Amino acid sequence: MLTEEYASRAIKEKIEEFIIPLSRKGLKAITLNNYRELLYRDLWFLHEDGRSVVPSKITASDIEFLIEKRWTGAPKYNHNRRSVFFRFLQYHNNNLVKEYPMPVNSCVRTTIGPDKWLSDEEAIAMYLACEDPVERWVCHAELKLGLRRFDLTNIMRDDVFSGYVDVLGKGGKRAPVAFVGDTSDVLRELYLHLERVIDGVKDPPRSLLLYRIGSYRPKVGVFKKTALDNMIKRIAKRAGIDRPVTHHMLRRTCARMWLRSGASIDEISMMLRHSSKDTTMIYLGLTVDDLKKGAMRFDDYFNAKKANFRGVENSQMKGVSQIEKVDRARFELAASTMPR
Protein backbone atom coordinates (compact mmCIF):
# COMPACT_ATOMS: atom_id res chain seq x y z
CA MET A 1 0.00 0.00 0.00
CA LEU A 2 1.28 3.47 -0.85
CA THR A 3 2.38 5.79 1.92
CA GLU A 4 0.21 8.84 2.53
CA GLU A 5 2.79 11.30 1.20
CA TYR A 6 3.69 9.25 -1.86
CA ALA A 7 0.03 8.57 -2.70
CA SER A 8 -0.84 12.25 -2.43
CA ARG A 9 2.07 13.25 -4.67
CA ALA A 10 1.27 10.55 -7.24
CA ILE A 11 -2.39 11.61 -7.39
CA LYS A 12 -1.51 15.27 -7.84
CA GLU A 13 1.00 14.49 -10.61
CA LYS A 14 -1.54 12.45 -12.60
CA ILE A 15 -4.18 15.14 -12.16
CA GLU A 16 -1.78 17.84 -13.39
CA GLU A 17 -0.97 15.79 -16.49
CA PHE A 18 -4.69 15.88 -17.28
CA ILE A 19 -5.16 19.56 -16.35
CA ILE A 20 -2.27 21.09 -18.36
CA PRO A 21 -3.79 20.40 -21.84
CA LEU A 22 -7.15 21.79 -20.65
CA SER A 23 -5.39 24.92 -19.43
CA ARG A 24 -3.81 25.39 -22.86
CA LYS A 25 -7.28 25.15 -24.41
CA GLY A 26 -8.30 28.22 -22.44
CA LEU A 27 -10.45 26.82 -19.64
CA LYS A 28 -10.86 29.23 -16.74
CA ALA A 29 -8.59 28.78 -13.72
CA ILE A 30 -11.56 28.38 -11.38
CA THR A 31 -12.95 25.53 -13.52
CA LEU A 32 -9.58 23.77 -13.53
CA ASN A 33 -9.34 24.14 -9.75
CA ASN A 34 -12.78 22.56 -9.41
CA TYR A 35 -11.58 19.64 -11.55
CA ARG A 36 -8.49 19.25 -9.37
CA GLU A 37 -10.59 19.22 -6.22
CA LEU A 38 -13.13 16.70 -7.51
CA LEU A 39 -10.51 14.33 -8.89
CA TYR A 40 -8.30 14.50 -5.82
CA ARG A 41 -11.20 13.72 -3.48
CA ASP A 42 -12.37 10.74 -5.55
CA LEU A 43 -8.87 9.31 -5.98
CA TRP A 44 -8.06 9.81 -2.31
CA PHE A 45 -11.32 8.03 -1.44
CA LEU A 46 -10.06 5.06 -3.47
CA HIS A 47 -6.67 5.22 -1.74
CA GLU A 48 -8.25 5.18 1.72
CA ASP A 49 -10.09 1.97 0.79
CA GLY A 50 -6.83 0.37 -0.31
CA ARG A 51 -7.55 0.64 -4.02
CA SER A 52 -5.33 1.76 -6.90
CA VAL A 53 -4.97 5.47 -7.63
CA VAL A 54 -3.09 4.94 -10.90
CA PRO A 55 -5.60 5.99 -13.61
CA SER A 56 -4.64 3.24 -16.05
CA LYS A 57 -5.10 0.56 -13.36
CA ILE A 58 -8.47 1.65 -11.99
CA THR A 59 -10.91 -1.23 -12.47
CA ALA A 60 -14.63 -1.71 -12.91
CA SER A 61 -14.79 -2.69 -9.23
CA ASP A 62 -13.29 0.67 -8.29
CA ILE A 63 -15.89 2.50 -10.40
CA GLU A 64 -18.72 0.52 -8.80
CA PHE A 65 -17.29 1.43 -5.41
CA LEU A 66 -17.35 5.15 -6.29
CA ILE A 67 -20.89 4.93 -7.68
CA GLU A 68 -22.18 3.17 -4.57
CA LYS A 69 -20.23 5.00 -1.86
CA ARG A 70 -19.07 8.31 -3.32
CA TRP A 71 -21.30 9.58 -6.12
CA THR A 72 -24.51 9.65 -4.10
CA GLY A 73 -25.53 13.32 -4.34
CA ALA A 74 -28.01 15.11 -6.58
CA PRO A 75 -28.24 13.66 -10.12
CA LYS A 76 -26.80 16.68 -11.93
CA TYR A 77 -23.75 16.80 -9.63
CA ASN A 78 -23.18 13.06 -10.01
CA HIS A 79 -23.37 13.54 -13.77
CA ASN A 80 -20.69 16.26 -13.66
CA ARG A 81 -18.42 14.30 -11.33
CA ARG A 82 -18.63 11.14 -13.43
CA SER A 83 -18.00 13.15 -16.57
CA VAL A 84 -14.80 14.70 -15.16
CA PHE A 85 -13.58 11.39 -13.71
CA PHE A 86 -14.10 9.43 -16.94
CA ARG A 87 -12.43 12.14 -19.03
CA PHE A 88 -9.49 11.85 -16.63
CA LEU A 89 -9.39 8.06 -17.11
CA GLN A 90 -9.63 8.35 -20.89
CA TYR A 91 -6.73 10.79 -20.96
CA HIS A 92 -4.64 8.14 -19.19
CA ASN A 93 -5.76 5.42 -21.67
CA ASN A 94 -8.28 3.75 -19.39
CA ASN A 95 -11.41 3.17 -21.45
CA LEU A 96 -13.77 2.02 -18.70
CA VAL A 97 -16.10 4.82 -19.75
CA LYS A 98 -17.25 2.54 -22.58
CA GLU A 99 -18.61 0.14 -19.96
CA TYR A 100 -20.21 2.98 -18.01
CA PRO A 101 -21.91 5.34 -20.47
CA MET A 102 -23.15 8.61 -19.03
CA PRO A 103 -26.80 8.37 -17.91
CA VAL A 104 -29.20 9.87 -20.43
CA ASN A 105 -31.06 12.90 -19.09
CA SER A 106 -29.80 12.10 -15.61
CA CYS A 107 -29.86 15.75 -14.57
CA VAL A 108 -33.05 16.90 -16.30
CA ARG A 109 -35.66 18.24 -13.90
CA THR A 110 -39.35 18.05 -14.69
CA THR A 111 -40.65 20.01 -11.71
CA ILE A 112 -39.42 22.41 -9.04
CA GLY A 113 -40.98 22.69 -5.58
CA PRO A 114 -43.28 25.68 -5.00
CA ASP A 115 -40.94 27.01 -2.27
CA LYS A 116 -38.09 27.53 -4.74
CA TRP A 117 -39.13 31.05 -5.71
CA LEU A 118 -39.28 34.32 -3.84
CA SER A 119 -42.46 36.33 -3.91
CA ASP A 120 -42.19 39.66 -5.73
CA GLU A 121 -42.26 41.41 -2.35
CA GLU A 122 -39.48 39.20 -0.93
CA ALA A 123 -37.34 39.85 -4.01
CA ILE A 124 -37.68 43.63 -3.63
CA ALA A 125 -36.99 43.36 0.11
CA MET A 126 -33.74 41.47 -0.59
CA TYR A 127 -32.70 43.96 -3.25
CA LEU A 128 -33.18 46.83 -0.79
CA ALA A 129 -31.47 44.98 2.08
CA CYS A 130 -28.02 45.00 0.43
CA GLU A 131 -25.50 47.01 2.46
CA ASP A 132 -22.44 47.33 0.22
CA PRO A 133 -21.62 47.43 -3.53
CA VAL A 134 -20.57 43.76 -3.62
CA GLU A 135 -23.90 42.61 -2.18
CA ARG A 136 -25.76 44.97 -4.50
CA TRP A 137 -23.95 43.53 -7.55
CA VAL A 138 -24.63 39.92 -6.53
CA CYS A 139 -28.35 40.58 -5.96
CA HIS A 140 -28.59 42.71 -9.10
CA ALA A 141 -26.84 40.09 -11.25
CA GLU A 142 -29.09 37.27 -10.06
CA LEU A 143 -32.42 39.05 -9.54
CA LYS A 144 -32.35 41.37 -12.57
CA LEU A 145 -29.91 39.76 -15.04
CA GLY A 146 -30.61 36.10 -14.21
CA LEU A 147 -26.95 35.13 -13.76
CA ARG A 148 -25.82 31.96 -11.99
CA ARG A 149 -23.44 31.77 -9.04
CA PHE A 150 -20.99 30.10 -11.43
CA ASP A 151 -21.23 33.14 -13.71
CA LEU A 152 -20.45 35.55 -10.89
CA THR A 153 -17.18 33.83 -10.00
CA ASN A 154 -16.02 33.59 -13.63
CA ILE A 155 -16.76 37.03 -15.10
CA MET A 156 -13.65 39.06 -15.88
CA ARG A 157 -13.54 42.82 -16.33
CA ASP A 158 -12.74 42.30 -20.00
CA ASP A 159 -16.08 40.48 -20.31
CA VAL A 160 -17.99 43.68 -19.51
CA PHE A 161 -18.93 45.85 -22.49
CA SER A 162 -21.16 48.84 -23.08
CA GLY A 163 -24.70 47.60 -22.58
CA TYR A 164 -23.99 43.90 -21.99
CA VAL A 165 -21.73 41.38 -20.25
CA ASP A 166 -20.27 38.41 -22.12
CA VAL A 167 -20.95 35.40 -19.87
CA LEU A 168 -19.19 32.04 -19.97
CA GLY A 169 -21.92 29.54 -19.26
CA LYS A 170 -22.22 25.79 -19.03
CA GLY A 171 -20.28 23.72 -21.52
CA GLY A 172 -17.86 26.58 -22.22
CA LYS A 173 -20.48 28.45 -24.26
CA ARG A 174 -20.46 32.25 -24.25
CA ALA A 175 -23.54 34.43 -24.55
CA PRO A 176 -24.26 38.15 -24.10
CA VAL A 177 -26.51 39.23 -21.22
CA ALA A 178 -28.08 42.65 -21.76
CA PHE A 179 -27.96 45.32 -19.06
CA VAL A 180 -31.14 46.61 -17.46
CA GLY A 181 -31.65 50.26 -16.51
CA ASP A 182 -29.34 50.55 -13.51
CA THR A 183 -26.72 47.88 -14.28
CA SER A 184 -24.10 50.44 -15.32
CA ASP A 185 -24.56 52.35 -12.06
CA VAL A 186 -24.27 49.17 -9.97
CA LEU A 187 -21.07 48.17 -11.78
CA ARG A 188 -19.57 51.64 -11.46
CA GLU A 189 -20.19 51.55 -7.72
CA LEU A 190 -18.65 48.06 -7.55
CA TYR A 191 -15.48 49.17 -9.37
CA LEU A 192 -14.96 52.12 -7.00
CA HIS A 193 -15.52 49.92 -3.95
CA LEU A 194 -13.07 47.24 -5.09
CA GLU A 195 -10.39 49.82 -5.83
CA ARG A 196 -10.68 50.99 -2.22
CA VAL A 197 -10.53 47.38 -0.97
CA ILE A 198 -7.27 46.57 -2.75
CA ASP A 199 -5.55 49.84 -1.91
CA GLY A 200 -2.10 48.84 -0.69
CA VAL A 201 -2.57 45.13 -1.51
CA LYS A 202 0.27 43.48 -3.41
CA ASP A 203 -0.64 41.97 -6.81
CA PRO A 204 -4.44 42.44 -6.59
CA PRO A 205 -6.58 40.43 -9.05
CA ARG A 206 -7.64 43.40 -11.15
CA SER A 207 -8.66 41.16 -14.04
CA LEU A 208 -11.56 39.71 -12.00
CA LEU A 209 -14.89 41.50 -11.85
CA LEU A 210 -15.64 40.22 -8.35
CA TYR A 211 -13.13 39.44 -5.61
CA ARG A 212 -12.87 39.65 -1.84
CA ILE A 213 -10.37 40.37 0.88
CA GLY A 214 -9.95 37.91 3.75
CA SER A 215 -11.14 38.86 7.25
CA TYR A 216 -8.04 37.67 9.07
CA ARG A 217 -5.34 37.88 6.43
CA PRO A 218 -4.57 40.68 3.96
CA LYS A 219 -5.27 38.31 1.09
CA VAL A 220 -7.41 39.13 -1.92
CA GLY A 221 -8.89 36.42 -4.11
CA VAL A 222 -11.97 34.98 -5.76
CA PHE A 223 -15.19 34.39 -3.88
CA LYS A 224 -15.63 30.76 -2.90
CA LYS A 225 -19.06 29.14 -3.21
CA THR A 226 -19.51 29.12 0.57
CA ALA A 227 -18.74 32.85 0.87
CA LEU A 228 -21.34 33.72 -1.78
CA ASP A 229 -23.88 31.36 -0.21
CA ASN A 230 -23.37 32.98 3.20
CA MET A 231 -23.76 36.43 1.63
CA ILE A 232 -27.19 35.51 0.22
CA LYS A 233 -28.22 34.11 3.64
CA ARG A 234 -27.23 37.35 5.37
CA ILE A 235 -29.14 39.51 2.90
CA ALA A 236 -32.23 37.28 3.19
CA LYS A 237 -32.11 37.50 6.98
CA ARG A 238 -31.93 41.30 6.83
CA ALA A 239 -34.90 41.27 4.45
CA GLY A 240 -36.94 39.36 7.03
CA ILE A 241 -37.08 36.09 5.07
CA ASP A 242 -36.97 33.19 7.53
CA ARG A 243 -36.73 30.31 5.05
CA PRO A 244 -33.61 29.10 3.19
CA VAL A 245 -32.73 31.25 0.17
CA THR A 246 -30.30 30.14 -2.54
CA HIS A 247 -28.71 31.75 -5.58
CA HIS A 248 -30.88 29.74 -7.95
CA MET A 249 -34.02 30.94 -6.17
CA LEU A 250 -33.03 34.47 -7.17
CA ARG A 251 -32.42 33.37 -10.77
CA ARG A 252 -35.78 31.59 -10.98
CA THR A 253 -37.52 34.57 -9.38
CA CYS A 254 -35.90 36.81 -11.99
CA ALA A 255 -37.40 34.66 -14.77
CA ARG A 256 -40.87 34.76 -13.22
CA MET A 257 -40.75 38.54 -12.74
CA TRP A 258 -39.65 38.98 -16.36
CA LEU A 259 -42.73 37.04 -17.43
CA ARG A 260 -45.02 39.09 -15.20
CA SER A 261 -43.55 42.27 -16.64
CA GLY A 262 -44.72 41.18 -20.11
CA ALA A 263 -41.57 39.53 -21.55
CA SER A 264 -42.09 36.65 -23.99
CA ILE A 265 -40.94 33.07 -23.37
CA ASP A 266 -38.36 33.50 -26.15
CA GLU A 267 -36.90 36.59 -24.46
CA ILE A 268 -36.77 34.90 -21.08
CA SER A 269 -35.16 31.78 -22.53
CA MET A 270 -32.46 33.90 -24.17
CA MET A 271 -31.90 35.85 -20.95
CA LEU A 272 -31.47 32.61 -18.99
CA ARG A 273 -29.30 31.15 -21.79
CA HIS A 274 -31.32 27.95 -21.93
CA SER A 275 -30.91 25.61 -24.87
CA SER A 276 -34.49 24.39 -24.47
CA LYS A 277 -37.71 26.30 -23.81
CA ASP A 278 -38.89 23.29 -21.79
CA THR A 279 -36.29 24.16 -19.17
CA THR A 280 -37.44 27.78 -19.20
CA MET A 281 -41.03 26.71 -18.56
CA ILE A 282 -39.87 24.74 -15.50
CA TYR A 283 -38.04 27.82 -14.24
CA LEU A 284 -41.14 30.00 -14.55
CA GLY A 285 -43.28 27.88 -12.25
CA LEU A 286 -46.55 29.56 -13.19
CA THR A 287 -49.02 29.95 -10.32
CA VAL A 288 -52.82 30.01 -10.33
CA ASP A 289 -52.66 33.81 -9.99
CA ASP A 290 -50.48 33.97 -13.11
CA LEU A 291 -52.99 31.83 -14.99
CA LYS A 292 -55.88 34.02 -13.78
CA LYS A 293 -54.10 37.14 -15.01
CA GLY A 294 -53.44 35.40 -18.33
CA ALA A 295 -57.11 34.41 -18.56
CA MET A 296 -58.17 38.00 -17.88
CA ARG A 297 -55.80 39.36 -20.54
CA PHE A 298 -57.15 36.82 -23.02
CA ASP A 299 -60.73 37.72 -22.13
CA ASP A 300 -60.03 41.44 -22.62
CA TYR A 301 -58.38 40.69 -25.98
CA PHE A 302 -61.25 38.46 -27.09
CA ASN A 303 -63.91 41.01 -26.09
CA ALA A 304 -62.04 43.81 -27.86
CA LYS A 305 -61.93 41.74 -31.05
CA LYS A 306 -65.62 40.88 -30.67
CA ALA A 307 -66.56 44.54 -30.23
CA ASN A 308 -64.43 45.52 -33.21
CA PHE A 309 -66.02 42.79 -35.32
CA ARG A 310 -69.52 44.02 -34.47
CA GLY A 311 -68.54 47.59 -35.32
CA VAL A 312 -67.28 46.54 -38.74
CA GLU A 313 -70.34 44.39 -39.30
CA ASN A 314 -72.71 47.23 -38.43
CA SER A 315 -70.86 49.70 -40.65
CA GLN A 316 -71.04 47.22 -43.51
CA MET A 317 -74.76 46.76 -43.02
CA LYS A 318 -75.29 50.49 -42.89
CA GLY A 319 -73.31 50.84 -46.11
CA VAL A 320 -75.39 48.27 -47.91
CA SER A 321 -78.59 49.88 -46.71
CA GLN A 322 -77.48 53.33 -47.98
CA ILE A 323 -76.56 51.92 -51.38
CA GLU A 324 -79.96 50.31 -51.64
CA LYS A 325 -81.60 53.67 -50.88
CA VAL A 326 -79.54 55.44 -53.61
CA ASP A 327 -80.34 52.73 -56.14
CA ARG A 328 -84.03 52.92 -55.28
CA ALA A 329 -84.01 56.72 -55.72
CA ARG A 330 -82.23 56.43 -59.06
CA PHE A 331 -84.71 53.78 -60.20
CA GLU A 332 -87.68 55.92 -59.19
CA LEU A 333 -86.21 58.99 -60.96
CA ALA A 334 -85.55 57.02 -64.12
CA ALA A 335 -89.03 55.51 -64.03
CA SER A 336 -90.67 58.94 -63.69
CA THR A 337 -88.90 60.31 -66.81
CA MET A 338 -89.61 57.37 -69.05
CA PRO A 339 -92.23 58.00 -71.86
CA ARG A 340 -95.59 56.43 -71.15
Side-chain angles (χ1 to χ4, degrees):
M1 183 172 175
L2 298 176
T3 64
E4 301 282 304
E5 182 180 355
Y6 182 81
S8 178
R9 186 168 68 249
I11 290 172
K12 289 179 180 178
E13 287 177 354
K14 290 299 182 182
I15 291 174
E16 286 307 310
E17 289 179 24
F18 168 68
I19 291 293
I20 289 173
L22 297 179
S23 176
R24 290 171 180 165
K25 290 181 180 179
L27 264 70
K28 296 277 187 177
I30 191 169
T31 302
L32 299 177
N33 286 336
N34 286 338
Y35 285 3
R36 287 188 182 97
E37 184 179 350
L38 290 175
L39 290 171
Y40 187 85
R41 287 182 179 180
D42 288 342
L43 291 168
W44 192 255
F45 194 70
L46 291 175
H47 166 71
E48 288 181 329
D49 197 62
R51 298 171 182 271
S52 175
V53 295
V54 180
S56 60
K57 295 183 179 180
I58 289 176
T59 65
S61 173
D62 299 329
I63 299 297
E64 293 290 350
F65 174 73
L66 288 173
I67 292 173
E68 182 180 351
K69 302 291 185 181
R70 183 71 176 163
W71 299 334
T72 56
K76 72 170 185 177
Y77 295 115
N78 289 340
H79 187 278
N80 293 339
R81 294 178 73 170
R82 289 178 66 163
S83 175
V84 172
F85 195 82
F86 282 129
R87 286 168 63 189
F88 171 72
L89 293 187
Q90 280 187 307
Y91 178 82
H92 289 287
N93 299 315
N94 186 330
N95 292 318
L96 274 176
V97 66
K98 295 178 181 178
E99 300 178 31
Y100 294 90
M102 296 306 294
V104 178
N105 295 330
S106 64
C107 60
V108 174
R109 290 172 295 188
T110 56
T111 59
I112 299 176
D115 61 333
K116 298 304 182 183
W117 285 268
L118 298 173
S119 69
D120 292 356
E121 292 73 22
E122 287 174 331
I124 299 302
M126 279 198 67
Y127 199 77
L128 297 176
C130 298
E131 292 184 344
D132 62 60
V134 174
E135 290 184 351
R136 273 189 283 277
W137 164 245
V138 171
C139 266
H140 180 90
E142 295 181 347
L143 264 177
K144 299 188 78 173
L145 304 183
L147 299 187
R148 302 181 179 93
R149 179 184 62 184
F150 174 83
D151 301 329
L152 290 173
T153 56
N154 280 275
I155 296 174
M156 312 295 281
R157 290 206 181 192
D158 288 345
D159 296 333
V160 180
F161 298 88
S162 178
Y164 72 97
V165 56
D166 191 33
V167 177
L168 176 66
K170 292 181 178 180
K173 297 178 181 178
R174 287 195 165 274
V177 175
F179 287 2
V180 296
D182 56 341
T183 304
S184 297
D185 294 334
V186 173
L187 283 172
R188 192 177 300 111
E189 188 181 7
L190 176 69
Y191 289 154
L192 293 173
H193 172 77
L194 293 179
E195 288 300 320
R196 290 193 295 268
V197 167
I198 62 174
D199 185 32
V201 174
K202 184 180 179 181
D203 298 325
R206 294 182 184 275
S207 59
L208 289 171
L209 178 63
L210 187 65
Y211 47 83
R212 67 191 294 264
I213 188 166
S215 301
Y216 304 104
R217 293 181 296 171
K219 182 180 179 181
V220 176
V222 297
F223 268 93
K224 300 294 185 182
K225 295 177 182 178
T226 305
L228 284 171
D229 292 344
N230 290 337
M231 180 191 298
I232 291 297
K233 291 176 184 177
R234 290 195 302 271
I235 298 171
K237 185 176 180 180
R238 277 188 235 123
I241 302 172
D242 57 1
R243 59 195 176 99
V245 176
T246 66
H247 295 273
H248 236 60
M249 283 177 69
L250 270 64
R251 176 171 157 85
R252 286 192 287 267
T253 302
C254 171
R256 182 183 277 182
M257 291 182 77
W258 266 58
L259 180 72
R260 290 174 177 173
S261 71
S264 68
I265 301 297
D266 288 330
E267 290 169 334
I268 298 170
S269 187
M270 288 183 67
M271 180 272 293
L272 295 172
R273 289 161 290 132
H274 283 159
S275 57
S276 169
K277 291 181 186 177
D278 293 338
T279 306
T280 304
M281 292 303 297
I282 296 171
Y283 266 57
L284 294 176
L286 299 180
T287 64
V288 173
D289 287 340
D290 293 320
L291 297 178
K292 286 180 179 177
K293 290 176 184 177
M296 291 175 64
R297 285 195 299 269
F298 166 75
D299 199 48
D300 290 342
Y301 175 82
F302 187 90
N303 289 335
K305 287 294 182 182
K306 184 172 66 173
N308 185 55
F309 177 82
R310 282 179 174 173
V312 171
E313 185 179 41
N314 290 337
S315 67
Q316 288 176 343
M317 292 300 293
K318 289 178 181 178
V320 170
S321 178
Q322 188 65 25
I323 290 171
E324 288 179 348
K325 289 180 180 179
V326 171
D327 286 345
R328 182 176 294 276
R330 286 176 178 173
F331 175 78
E332 291 175 351
L333 177 63
S336 64
T337 59
M338 287 181 66
R340 297 182 182 274

